[in-house]
Amino acid sequence: MLDYESLKLIWWALVGALLIGFAITDGMDMGVGMLLPFLGRNDPERRVIINTIGPHWDGNQVWLITAGGAIFAAWPAVYAAAFSGFYLAMLLVLIALFFRPVGFDYRSKIDNPTWRNAWDWGLFAGGLIPALIFGVAFGNLLQGVPFHLDRFLRPHYEGSFIWALLPLLNPFALLAGLISVGMLALHGAIWLQMRTDDVIAARARALVPMLAIGVSALFALGGLWVWLGIDGYRIVSQPPLSALPNPLAKEVVRASGAWFDVYRNWPVTLILPLTGLVAPLLAAALSRQERPGLGFTLSGLGLTGIIGTAGLSLFPFIMPSSTQPSSSLTVWDAASSHMTLKIMFWAVVILLPIVLAYTVWAYVQMWGKVTVADVEARKHQAY
């Protein structure tokens, strides 16, 4: 019933869903962190902002951990190649993420403006740096990564170890990073408009249109750049899709416009880039009408459209190789064994509904607006 080919495709969709879930939940927390020093003008206001995400930020971060574990289990070849090649970038992300638990837990332990302001900027860095690097990573995937596989399927990168960071920061990748930063900041701004009142909500509401226009404009520019200036990858020949994984058994060529093959072959898939382009603008319109709840939903759809567009454009490639295209890792030849994918699939079927139900319950429990009066009444609590 669950044949090998179908399971490979299912796990591609599941990993994509985990990344989107991470962007919608923990991406919101990152967006709030990025906006913290600017929308909060004094300590009580910043405490209000932090308290909108403080009770659940750590639960949201589980989406990232789960996505990393899923990549390790479902695509071990991708995990090995990506985490070795992007080592310094991943380390920078982890260092930035370290500011979040420490900042949330220790910011209010000392009633000192300098201490608290330092942690506020630490939370800003903990939101900005991961958002930027995740976007930069997708930008580099669309251009191809300079690695190849030897006959033992071990990945080797071109250049020195410093390649792991500096050459990643090329113009197109930085554009992708700005899209990532912008869409998460927009998501966080609408969340703050929805969860706060008075002056903080007004500041967030004023910022939403600028962020929405910026995200849609940058996303359109990125699509135009891919169309005109970046060659995609196309599989010319490969073993049967249900065959045992062997990345070197296929033939791959680079071709102009290849990243748009999926949209030419299945026009219905155009709904994803259109959603990524239009949803942020609709979210801003709803925000202006004082309907941030629906705006937040539309912002989440925009995130889904943008991330989904990147993943669908790459399909079936997961990690293209710019130096030896035949070494590119795809959905079909980078997967774990049939048995592994099947066991993990049933684990997800059983456990994922429980996790989702708990997440919804947790949000319902702490729902409501956070005010300055609330944080002043709980002045000695952690946040």
Side-chain angles (χ1 to χ4, degrees), residues 66-344:
T66 305
I71 292 172
F72 171 75
W75 302 331
V78 174
Y79 186 91
F83 279 69
S84 59
F86 297 124
Y87 184 81
L88 289 181
M90 294 293 182
L91 188 61
L92 185 59
V93 168
L94 289 176
I95 292 172
L97 290 176
F98 288 160
F99 284 110
R100 301 175 72 197
V102 181
F104 283 126
D105 287 341
Y106 289 97
R107 178 190 183 275
S108 294
K109 298 299 184 183
I110 300 177
D111 190 5
N112 179 281
T114 302
W115 170 268
R116 293 186 174 185
N117 189 60
W119 284 117
D120 290 341
W121 284 103
L123 292 172
F124 165 80
L128 176 69
I129 293 174
L132 179 66
I133 290 180
F134 290 145
V136 166
F138 270 100
N140 278 280
L141 289 177
L142 287 165
Q143 297 175 92
V145 181
F147 79 98
H148 69 274
L149 302 175
D150 62 21
R151 63 192 183 95
F152 299 109
L153 302 183
R154 296 175 301 189
H156 299 272
Y157 281 82
E158 302 296 324
S160 63
F161 183 67
I162 200 65
W163 176 88
L165 187 58
L166 293 182
L168 296 179
L169 303 177
N170 55 76
F172 177 76
L174 288 173
L175 172 63
L178 289 177
I179 295 172
S180 176
V181 169
M183 69 184 189
L184 297 188
L186 171 64
H187 204 49
I190 298 180
W191 172 261
L192 288 175
Q193 182 187 357
M194 181 171 59
R195 292 295 318 282
T196 62
D197 60 4
D198 299 329
V199 65
I200 300 174
R203 290 175 193 150
R205 178 178 176 271
L207 188 60
V208 165
M210 293 183 285
L211 290 171
I213 293 171
V215 169
S216 294
L218 290 174
F219 183 54
L221 176 60
L224 185 63
W225 195 329
V226 173
W227 176 261
L228 297 176
I230 295 179
D231 291 339
Y233 291 72
R234 186 177 291 145
I235 297 175
V236 176
S237 63
Q238 64 179 335
L241 302 184
S242 59
L244 292 176
N246 181 7
L248 297 178
K250 65 181 179 299
E251 181 182 355
V252 177
V253 296
R254 300 194 68 172
S256 176
W259 287 145
F260 293 85
D261 285 352
V262 65
Y263 307 110
R264 285 189 287 263
N265 296 331
W266 295 282
V268 68
T269 57
L270 286 169
I271 193 172
L272 278 175
L274 288 175
T275 300
L277 189 65
V278 174
L281 300 176
L282 294 177
L286 289 166
S287 168
R288 184 165 183 171
Q289 295 173 8
E290 295 294 348
R291 302 175 71 185
L294 285 175
F296 185 75
T297 303
L298 265 294
S299 176
L301 285 176
L303 290 175
T304 302
I306 292 171
I307 298 172
T309 297
L312 198 60
S313 299
L314 284 166
F315 184 84
F317 292 91
I318 305 171
M319 194 170 173
S321 168
S322 61
T323 54
Q324 189 182 92
S326 61
S327 292
S328 299
L329 300 174
T330 73
V331 172
W332 315 118
D333 59 26
S336 292
S337 69
H338 188 186
M339 180 63 70
T340 300
L341 296 183
K342 184 183 293 186
I343 292 172
M344 290 197 306

